[in-house]
């Protein structure tokens, strides 16, 4: 039982109730009482407040048995909306979800500049449009979460974005001043990890998500929260050295993991080996299906170096679940089997390894989910995945 200050207890009880309703989608008051171990009187009082605030709605359930028809409670999905933004090196992706995590709008704009004032202006313009579009809902836009492909401090100041060459940029403060709304910044790999836990791995407290697109990022969930390190810069695993004296990396080292096991490194190598060919994901998939010797050799090398890094992070973190986010791996039906066969250490322990079924959307979905969690103030968020 939670003890302490009355207002604190009320806040915690409210969070427990919202957590269970979100998790199950629909619950009766009696079911909420059982799931939370709260008294029916406590549940009734909290639910009355949530109904007044329009965060919860009542629904009649079809009922063919004798007795009183149960009244079900569910989150009022349209009471407010969350904005997730993926600030990539060549484009900005926007996603808007309701309070149940279902996407209701999405848009992507191409970037023709890396200048901070220009990108700030673009973000302000588009977010203001969404604020106006959803202003008629009870809470409008509840929060904005932006995925940063670079170093974000624990104070949410951008330390460095390599693709933009941004250093110590106050994006959060500038946006909040212009928009009068809460804005949060988070590393993109962390948000991908958060999406995997929120939408798929509801019972998992410790999860690693390895993203393999332009570089390699590591999102880490430890006991349902982000593991960020002292200053917030943990997870730059792509710059772990796997080949001493190897290929030079922009970070200043040689032989970094992402120079051998990122999708961009694979595509770059295939373009060199197949000059004049249009190297796309679909084309690589066809080459693999046709058993093209050159492509199979490159893919084998890719998964070999990928396995080296995975072996290292599994031994360091001992995760429950490892999620690999890669279009190349999704296109190869034998990729996961090959990687598992390469992990031969008897001291490496993890419960499950899988390839992400969300894909690149995981970043903006995770951003929307984090905005929902912050708004509803639930300690652990579980949502259904609606594709």
């Amino acid at each position: 039982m939670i003890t302490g200050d009355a207002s604190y207890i009320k806040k915690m009880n409210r969070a427990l109730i919202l957590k269970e309703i979100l998790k199950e989608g629909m619950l009766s008051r009696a079911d909420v009482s059982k799931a939370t171990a709260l008294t029916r009187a406590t549940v009734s009082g909290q639910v009355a407040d949530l109904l007044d605030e329009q965060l919860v709605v009542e629904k009649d359930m079809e009922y063919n048995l004798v007795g009183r028809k149960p009244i079900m409670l569910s989150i009022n999905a349209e009471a407010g909306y969350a904005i997730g933004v993926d600030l990539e090196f060549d484009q900005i992706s926007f996603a808007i979800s309701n309070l149940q995590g279902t996407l209701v709008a999405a848009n992507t704009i191409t970037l023709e500049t890396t200048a901070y004032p220009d990108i700030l202006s673009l973000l302000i313009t588009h977010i203001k449009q969404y604020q106006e579009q959803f202003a008629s809902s009870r809470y409008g836009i509840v929060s904005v979460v932006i995925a940063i492909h670079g170093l974000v401090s624990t104070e949410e100041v951008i330390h460095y974005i390599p693709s933009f060459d941004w250093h110590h940029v106050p994006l959060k403060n500038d946006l909040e001043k212009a928009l009068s709304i809460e804005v949060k910044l988070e590393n993109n790999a962390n948000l991908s990890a958060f999406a995997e836990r929120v939408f798929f791995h509801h019972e998992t407290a410790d999860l690693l998500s390895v993203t393999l697109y332009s570089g390699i990022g590591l999102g880490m969930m430890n006991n349902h929260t982000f593991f960020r390190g002292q200053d917030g810069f943990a997870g730059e695993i792509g710059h772990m050295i796997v080949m001493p004296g190897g290929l030079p990396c922009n970070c200043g080292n040689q032989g970094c993991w992402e120079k051998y096991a990122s999708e961009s490194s694979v595509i770059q190598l295939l373009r060199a080996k197949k000059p004049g060919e249009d190297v796309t994901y679909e084309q690589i998939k066809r080459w693999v299906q046709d058993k093209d010797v050159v492509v199979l050799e490159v893919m084998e090398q890719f998964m070999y170096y990928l396995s080296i890094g995975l072996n290292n992070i599994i031994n360091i973190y001992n995760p429950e679940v490892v999620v690999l986010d890669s279009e190349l791996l999704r296109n190869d039906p034998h990729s996961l089997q090959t990687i598992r066969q390469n992990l031969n250490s008897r001291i490496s322990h993890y419960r499950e390894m899988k390839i992400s079924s969300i894909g690149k959307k995981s970043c903006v979905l995770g951003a929307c989910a984090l905005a929902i969690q912050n708004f509803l103030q639930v300690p652990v968020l579980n949502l259904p995945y609606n594709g």
Side-chain angles (χ1 to χ4, degrees):
M1 178 181 289
I2 299 170
T3 60
D5 178 77
S7 61
Y8 172 75
I9 294 171
K10 185 174 182 180
K11 180 180 177 181
M12 295 302 293
N13 289 342
R14 173 191 175 98
L16 284 173
I17 291 169
L18 286 171
K19 172 179 173 287
E20 291 302 324
I21 295 175
L22 281 162
K23 179 181 177 182
E24 300 301 328
M26 205 179 283
L27 283 176
S28 67
R29 286 171 174 77
D31 289 334
V32 170
S33 180
K34 289 178 186 176
T36 60
L38 297 172
T39 66
R40 293 199 177 194
T42 298
V43 170
S44 292
Q46 290 277 359
V47 167
D49 289 342
L50 292 170
L51 288 168
D52 285 343
E53 295 168 33
Q54 298 179 28
L55 287 174
V56 166
V57 292
E58 293 180 321
K59 295 182 180 180
D60 287 333
M61 185 178 179
E62 288 189 20
Y63 188 69
N64 298 320
L65 301 176
V66 176
R68 188 175 177 182
K69 181 191 294 187
I71 296 175
M72 308 301 286
L73 303 167
S74 64
I75 296 297
N76 182 5
E78 286 72 40
Y81 296 86
I83 297 181
V85 182
D86 189 4
L87 186 57
E88 299 182 79
F89 73 97
D90 60 350
Q91 63 184 27
I92 305 176
S93 299
F94 297 88
I96 295 83
S97 80
N98 62 27
L99 294 184
Q100 291 180 346
T102 300
L103 293 185
V104 297
N107 184 32
T108 297
I109 60 172
T110 301
L111 288 177
E112 298 177 355
T113 176
T114 60
Y116 176 69
D118 295 336
I119 292 179
L120 175 65
S121 178
L122 282 171
L123 288 168
I124 291 170
T125 297
H126 283 78
I127 293 171
K128 278 186 174 179
Q129 289 174 356
Y130 290 124
Q131 285 180 301
E132 293 172 6
Q133 182 178 346
F134 294 95
S136 61
S137 64
R138 174 67 171 81
Y139 294 95
I141 298 298
V142 300
S143 181
V144 178
V145 175
I146 301 178
I148 302 299
H149 294 246
L151 302 180
V152 184
S153 73
T154 49
E155 289 80 28
E156 297 181 63
V157 173
I158 294 174
H159 178 71
Y160 179 48
I161 298 183
S163 57
F164 293 161
D165 196 29
W166 287 2
H167 299 264
H168 305 290
V169 174
L171 180 63
K172 173 185 170 73
N173 288 341
D174 288 345
L175 286 175
E176 288 183 338
K177 283 180 186 176
L179 300 168
S180 300
I181 190 174
E182 180 190 55
V183 175
K184 290 192 71 66
L185 307 185
E186 185 56 73
N187 176 266
N188 65 298
N190 277 348
L191 290 172
S192 291
F194 190 64
E196 296 290 345
R197 204 221 59 74
V198 166
F199 291 102
F200 283 100
H201 299 277
H202 292 172
E203 305 306 319
T204 300
D206 299 287
L207 179 146
L208 300 180
S209 174
V210 185
T211 57
L212 301 170
Y213 297 108
S214 58
I216 299 181
L218 178 66
M220 295 175 282
M221 301 296 300
N222 176 243
N223 195 25
H224 297 295
T225 60
F226 294 125
F227 178 83
R228 294 188 175 93
Q230 178 180 338
D231 298 313
F233 303 153
E236 293 300 317
I237 204 71
H239 300 287
M240 168 176 60
I241 295 173
V242 298
M243 180 64 73
L247 296 171
C249 180
N250 292 334
C251 77
N253 279 327
Q254 291 177 278
C256 290
W257 192 25
E258 66 180 40
K259 300 303 291 184
Y260 296 86
S262 65
E263 291 193 348
S264 59
S265 70
V266 173
I267 291 170
Q268 184 179 0
L269 185 56
L270 283 174
R271 283 174 178 161
K273 287 181 175 290
K274 288 183 169 289
E277 295 278 7
D278 186 18
V279 181
T280 63
Y281 287 120
E282 279 302 313
Q283 182 58 61
I284 294 171
K285 183 178 181 179
R286 285 192 290 269
W287 281 329
V288 170
Q289 290 171 342
D290 295 341
K291 301 189 185 307
D292 184 292
V293 175
V294 171
V295 175
L296 290 180
E297 183 180 294
V298 170
M299 290 295 292
E300 183 179 354
Q301 177 179 300
F302 161 57
M303 283 185 269
Y304 169 73
Y305 282 112
L306 177 58
S307 302
I308 290 175
L310 291 175
N311 177 78
N312 293 343
I313 63 174
I314 288 168
N315 282 331
I316 293 169
Y317 294 106
N318 181 214
E320 287 183 66
V321 177
V322 180
V323 181
L324 307 177
D325 191 358
S326 163
E327 194 67 24
L328 286 178
L329 296 181
R330 273 189 290 275
N331 284 343
D332 184 342
H334 306 296
S335 59
L336 204 53
Q337 179 184 350
T338 302
I339 293 167
R340 287 180 180 137
Q341 288 172 347
N342 287 337
L343 299 173
N344 297 316
S345 172
R346 284 192 290 270
I347 63 170
S348 293
H349 290 282
Y350 60 94
R351 180 168 57 80
E352 180 184 2
M353 180 179 290
K354 61 166 287 187
I355 296 170
S356 172
S357 53
I358 308 178
K360 283 194 171 184
K361 283 195 304 183
S362 64
C363 190
V364 287
L365 277 174
C368 288
L370 185 60
I372 293 168
Q373 183 180 45
N374 291 336
F375 173 65
L376 295 177
Q377 296 184 309
V378 292
V380 178
L381 182 68
N382 293 318
L383 295 171
Y385 181 63
N386 297 307

